[in-house]
Amino acid sequence: MTTTDPLADAVEPPLRPLPERAATLLRSLDAPPRLTAHLRLVHDVAYELADWVERRYPELSFDRTAVLFGAATHDIGKTAYVGELSGPGSAHEEAGRRLLLDHGVEPELARFARTHAAWSEPEAGIEDLLVSVADKVWKNKRVSELEDLVVARLAEATGRPAWEEFLALDDLLGSLGTDADRRLAFQAAYPVHR
């Protein structure tokens, strides 16, 4: 029997479920399948990053729940700017923040829709940086300026030399990047429109 379902051959990677609040929002907004797939992938990488930070940096105070929610909703504005799912654009950033606020999401969680692309702003916290890194490394994209900001925060928290923190982060991100082809194929198997 032949199938015409484009997802029939897509091998779903073992992804952690999105936070229920994020999943409910995506369902209520009738999010495009590709967007949901992307958010699941970035959330899963953010989960790995958060686990690593908790293990290696117990002295670093960060809001794990915020990181995971931020990763799961950072591109939610693309429900309004669907063209930005397959092409460039930044209109989804502020639109996503406003959309989350309109749906009762607290400003400290809604911010990730904007800050995932504004990580160089001085007020960006470690949570914002981790969401930004997850949004890059899921597809094995490395951004040295972003990684340098993370390294500086880690070195500051531990008192260890920046080069030591750089090596640790580099090892982790290299490892996370190895599954990028599988993740990209998984996301591409989903249609941009419903």
Side-chain angles (χ1 to χ4, degrees), residues 7-77:
L7 303 179
D9 296 327
V11 177
E12 182 167 333
L15 300 173
R16 293 165 184 87
L18 291 174
E20 187 52 42
R21 187 176 185 193
T24 300
L25 267 169
L26 291 168
R27 283 190 298 273
S28 74
L29 294 168
D30 199 24
R34 182 163 301 168
L35 175 60
T36 301
H38 171 70
L39 294 172
R40 290 180 65 206
L41 292 164
V42 175
H43 169 265
D44 202 64
V45 169
Y47 198 100
E48 292 291 328
L49 281 167
D51 277 356
W52 179 79
V53 169
E54 283 183 340
R55 280 191 314 273
R56 183 168 166 86
Y57 305 96
E59 62 279 286
L60 179 63
S61 176
F62 80 104
D63 187 342
R64 177 190 180 91
T65 301
V67 169
L68 298 179
F69 185 82
T73 60
H74 73 281
D75 275 347
I76 202 161

Side-chain angles (χ1 to χ4, degrees), residues 11-12 36 45 74 82-83 85 87 91-93 96 99 101 103 108 123 125 130 135 139 142 149 175 181 184:
V11 177
E12 182 167 333
T36 301
V45 169
H74 73 281
V82 179
L85 278 170
H92 73 278
E93 295 161 10
L99 187 148
L101 291 171
H103 281 82
E108 62 271 13
E123 66 274 3
L130 292 173
D135 190 36
K139 59 185 173 185
R142 303 288 299 269
L149 292 171
S175 171
D181 288 342
L184 286 162

